[in-house]
Every structure is written in C-alpha cells, then in structure tokens.
Amino acid sequence: MHPVILKQVGKTYRLDAVNVPALIDINLDIRPNCFTVISGPSGSGKTTLLNMIGCIDRPDQGEVIVAGQSVRTMSDDALSDFRARHLGFIFQNFNLLPVLTAYENVEYPLLLAQLPAAQRKQRVLALLDAVGLADKAKHRPGQLSGGQRQRVAIARALAPAPQLVLADEPTANLDSQTGAAIIALMRKMQREYHVSFVFSSHDPQVQAEADDAVFIRDGRIIGIERRSTQPEASL
C-alpha cells in the first residue's frame, strides 16, 4: 500500500484581495520504503505540498490519503492524533526542546502516546544508539553540535514507529560534510525501520540519494523520476 496518495489536490491562499494558487491539480503516489525528494525553485509550492502530505494543511479540492485514510474531513483533534500516530517530522532548525536532554526529546512523543515506561526506555535507548548518540543521552541541545542535534531529531521522528517521515530542508543548516553524514544516516534508518522518507530540498546531495524525485514549479508537478523499479529491501 502506498503510504500517501494525492488525487487532484488544489490549494489556494488569499492574500488581502488576491487569490494565490499554491497547488494546482496535484496527483502523486508516494511509494513505500523509498526516499522521495520534492524539488523546485523558491515559491514553487514544494513546502505547501510537503505540508499537505504531512497533514499540516488541508486541500481546497481533491483528496489526500495517508496510511490508507482520507484526511480531508478529519476534525483538528482527530488530525493531530493521526499525525502523532502515523507521521514523523524532521525540521531544518531541529525544533528540539532546549530544556530537555537528548533522551527526553526522543522520549517526548512516546509520553504523548502513553507508552509504558519500560517500553519507552527500551525504544529511546535503541534509537539513540542507532543514531550514534548513546553517550549523549543526558546532554541538552545547547551542548550538542548541529549534526548531533539533527541526529536527535531523526531519532525523535522515528520514536513512535511512523509509516512516513517528512523533512523540510533537513541539511540546510549543516555544512556539506555533516549534511552528507546525516543523509547517509537517514538512508540507513529508512532501510532498518521500514519507513518512507519524503523531503523538500535544494541540496544536490539529498537529490542524488532519491529513489523518486518530484519536480514542482508554479504549483504544478512538472515531472516525476522513478529511479528504482522497486524499493530496496530492508536490512
């Protein structure tokens, strides 16, 4: 099953007295267990498309199906709960809670999900070890480098075992070497945790790693490249 299907999706924003179309007749299937990268110039609609896939915004027309469910008519509370159960998010500014340790940041979505304490501890420690930060569990974000903060963010995104992880320019605030290491880590986690990753990115390193590349301009998808016939098998 495709984790995301968009059918004839449209979105228009109103700025003062002007209607500004952000997405126009979008049809897109996100394949399971793949790296999908959305690329386009500034103002092309790629962030709006990512927000639509992530159930952060709603379409004016068309249908958005995520994890087998149509989300357009969900209430705000139902949509919030749905995101928490099915989606993980990675942000270019990391969005870690500065007063919490790395362990506590990764644990936070599991607390919201009311996972029992023993299971939370096992999951958090396993994820911190997987991203190479087992020895930084008690460090707060201010004590970590940019690359280490993004590793914590990746672990946090994977904590609730989502079907889909979304990342908006995840390497934008990192130097090229650290960015390459983060891309390699996300690819590793994608394979090991059987999850689809969807990015918006200008970064050639991210684009080069894509299984599927989606190109958008002026709110329309102008091309899709399927670079592998099947998702790679999980390790």
Side-chain angles (χ1 to χ4, degrees):
M1 180 181 70
H2 291 297
V4 179
I5 300 172
L6 280 71
K7 298 179 179 179
Q8 297 181 314
V9 167
K11 181 68 179 180
T12 298
Y13 295 106
R14 188 167 181 84
L15 299 178
D16 297 324
V18 179
N19 289 327
V20 180
L23 296 176
I24 303 167
D25 195 27
I26 297 294
N27 292 283
L28 177 64
D29 296 344
I30 301 297
R31 294 192 298 160
N33 197 31
C34 276
F35 255 34
T36 299
V37 178
I38 301 169
S39 300
S42 179
S44 62
K46 61 183 181 297
T47 297
T48 302
L49 179 54
L50 194 71
N51 288 344
M52 207 66 65
I53 294 169
C55 306
I56 295 171
D57 208 347
R58 299 174 187 270
D60 297 326
Q61 62 187 47
E63 189 173 16
V64 177
I65 301 170
V66 179
Q69 297 188 49
S70 179
V71 301
R72 185 178 180 184
T73 59
M74 287 185 185
S75 68
D76 289 343
D77 287 345
L79 199 57
S80 178
D81 180 65
F82 181 83
R83 284 195 301 267
R85 287 186 289 111
H86 293 286
L87 304 175
F89 295 88
I90 302 169
F91 304 93
Q92 67 181 59
N93 293 320
F94 319 127
N95 281 22
L96 301 177
L97 296 172
V99 298
L100 300 183
T101 64
Y103 181 101
E104 291 165 339
N105 268 284
V106 177
E107 182 187 37
Y108 188 69
L110 301 179
L111 287 168
L112 296 178
Q114 300 182 329
L115 197 71
Q119 292 181 42
R120 290 200 310 270
K121 181 177 181 180
Q122 181 181 27
R123 179 88 177 156
V124 173
L125 291 177
L127 282 166
L128 286 174
D129 182 61
V131 300
L133 291 178
D135 60 339
K136 305 291 185 183
K138 295 182 179 180
H139 287 59
R140 289 187 170 85
Q143 299 170 302
L144 300 173
S145 69
Q148 289 170 336
R149 293 181 196 181
Q150 197 62 296
R151 288 172 181 266
V152 175
I154 293 168
R156 180 185 59 187
L158 290 167
Q163 294 185 33
L164 183 70
V165 172
L166 297 106
D168 188 7
E169 299 284 359
T171 60
N173 290 335
L174 304 173
D175 63 72
S176 59
Q177 183 175 358
T178 303
I182 289 298
I183 296 165
L185 175 63
M186 287 190 288
R187 173 60 95 178
K188 173 177 178 285
M189 302 303 279
Q190 174 245 323
R191 291 170 174 164
E192 292 183 357
Y193 285 84
H194 305 264
V195 62
S196 299
F197 274 71
V198 180
F199 306 87
S200 67
S201 182
H202 290 97
D203 187 344
Q205 294 182 105
V206 177
Q207 295 169 357
E209 190 63 28
D211 295 312
D212 293 345
V214 179
F215 302 97
I216 186 169
R217 181 183 293 273
D218 298 328
R220 298 179 184 272
I221 291 178
I222 59 172
I224 300 174
E225 292 182 6
R226 307 289 190 187
R227 298 174 179 172
S228 61
T229 56
Q230 293 180 340
E232 293 189 37
S234 299
L235 300 178

